Amino acid sequence: MPGFKLVGREARQKGTVVKVGNTEFGSNKVAIIAGPCAIESEEQLLETALAVKEAGAAVLRGSAYKPRSSPYSFQGLEEEGLKIMAKVKKKTGLLVETEVIDARDVALVSKYVDALRIGARNMQNFSLLREVGKSQKPVILKNGISSTLDEFLCSAEYILAGGNKNVILCNRGIRTTEPELRFPVLSGSTALLKQKTHLPVIVDPSHSTGNSSLIVAASRAAIAEGADGLIIEVHPSPEKALSDKRQQLTPGQFKSLMPELERVAKAVGRGL
Ligand code: PEP
Ligand code: MN
């Protein structure tokens, strides 16, 4: 018996549409989330937000809590970052999302954002999954870097079983033997996830390739395979970023990416 039922296609043949504010994930339109890896300052977030909004992104991303491999790396601005996010949301009218890394922070983080993100390192943080399950905030759940698709779906099941149906799965790739790609999204994995679950599935080309020069190709591939959205890192000066320098797009690169994505979306019968 699979360890999930509520998230399975058998439970619901029709795809679920999850709304973040008025933006739909899982409809005919491919929704774009964009913004910096981490919130570094109000100027940095506002500049990015204005650029991604103009280019057509629906939701601004940005992390205030950074679960880093090394304890010596930048850990995020924490609540100060959340306050910056709230200011930028007010100034731009954009919807906003951010990562929550600890069950004890769910209530606090929820006050500031339209959607919560659970990162790869916390896919099996069961107390965190249970806590967001008690909320009605949309949750963007990323797969762990060595998890199987069924394990990923079991983690989503915790949230639905807790009472929160608003889950968006994010395929961010897994560890492979190829050192030049950070965590590749396996070809076919997005299509297979969509067969197995009715939940919307988005793809993260930034953390999967780890390389800004591959974002266009990886994004096109994701949409062609049926992704309901993308989450893309954009920074005003990627070379100065406090995290993930190599993979963040400049605002100009993001602006030229969007029409490319619209072409692919149209080719597969969808819009952007
Ligand atoms: C992120 O999206 O900010 C992030 C840290 O990604 P992941 O959890 O997929 O590594
Ligand atoms: Mn990042």
Side-chain angles (χ1 to χ4, degrees):
M1 183 188 122
F4 56 86
K5 51 185 181 192
L6 300 174
V7 305
R9 266 288 168 190
E10 297 71 32
R12 200 180 137 87
Q13 282 302 311
K14 206 167 160 275
T16 292
V17 174
V18 173
K19 282 181 91 172
V20 175
N22 53 6
T23 295
E24 294 182 339
F25 289 78
S27 73
N28 197 46
K29 280 183 90 178
V30 177
I32 308 295
I33 304 172
C37 178
I39 301 164
E40 297 171 2
S41 68
E42 187 175 335
E43 298 68 43
Q44 171 247 15
L45 191 66
L46 183 61
E47 187 179 339
T48 315
L50 291 170
V52 301
K53 183 181 177 184
E54 202 202 311
V59 182
L60 176 68
R61 66 151 284 146
S63 300
Y65 297 87
K66 294 297 305 166
R68 305 302 300 280
S69 299
S70 165
Y72 307 117
S73 302
F74 174 60
Q75 302 287 313
L77 298 181
E78 303 183 343
E79 194 172 358
E80 189 197 331
L82 297 176
K83 289 188 174 147
I84 292 174
M85 189 57 115
K87 267 195 199 164
V88 170
K89 173 179 162 69
K90 204 164 168 203
K91 282 191 180 163
T92 60
L94 275 168
L95 297 161
V96 299
E97 68 82 76
T98 200
E99 180 163 355
V100 58
I101 62 174
D102 191 310
R104 291 167 299 187
D105 297 334
V106 170
L108 174 78
V109 176
S110 296
K111 284 201 292 190
Y112 293 95
V113 293
D114 302 290
L116 302 168
R117 173 167 24 93
I118 294 187
R121 286 152 198 83
N122 278 310
M123 186 199 87
Q124 288 191 318
N125 179 338
F126 299 114
S127 51
L128 180 57
L129 297 174
R130 282 206 188 87
E131 197 60 35
V132 300
K134 291 185 205 154
S135 153
Q136 286 306 307
K137 276 272 175 200
V139 178
I140 300 163
L141 177 66
K142 302 183 96 177
N143 66 279
I145 59 170
S146 57
S147 66
T148 65
L149 297 184
D150 278 3
E151 286 162 351
F152 186 23
L153 292 173
C154 282
S155 290
E157 185 81 13
Y158 270 87
I159 305 175
L160 268 78
N164 188 351
K165 293 191 173 132
N166 302 309
V167 175
I168 299 165
L169 299 173
C170 177
N171 187 356
R172 51 87 73 229
I174 54 172
R175 196 188 288 284
T176 70
T177 51
E178 178 48 64
E180 288 189 61
L181 293 164
R182 201 176 176 194
F183 298 103
V185 166
L186 295 185
S187 175
S189 57
T190 300
L192 182 52
L193 264 175
K194 293 209 43 104
Q195 282 178 15
K196 291 169 84 74
T197 179
H198 54 85
L199 294 174
V201 179
I202 66 170
V203 169
D204 179 343
S206 303
H207 292 89
S208 56
T209 64
N211 179 340
S212 59
S213 74
L214 297 173
I215 304 298
V216 177
S219 302
R220 282 184 180 141
I223 295 176
E225 212 181 279
D228 298 303
L230 298 172
I231 179 165
I232 299 173
E233 288 190 341
V234 180
H235 191 287
S237 326
E239 72 290 351
K240 293 196 198 122
L242 298 181
S243 55
D244 288 347
K245 289 183 203 306
R246 287 186 65 231
Q247 70 197 34
Q248 303 202 58
L249 296 182
T250 62
Q253 288 169 331
F254 182 71
K255 191 175 175 186
S256 43
L257 171 68
M258 290 295 273
E260 291 287 325
L261 302 186
E262 192 162 14
R263 270 197 283 281
V264 181
K266 281 209 178 108
V268 294
R270 301 180 82 168
L272 203 64

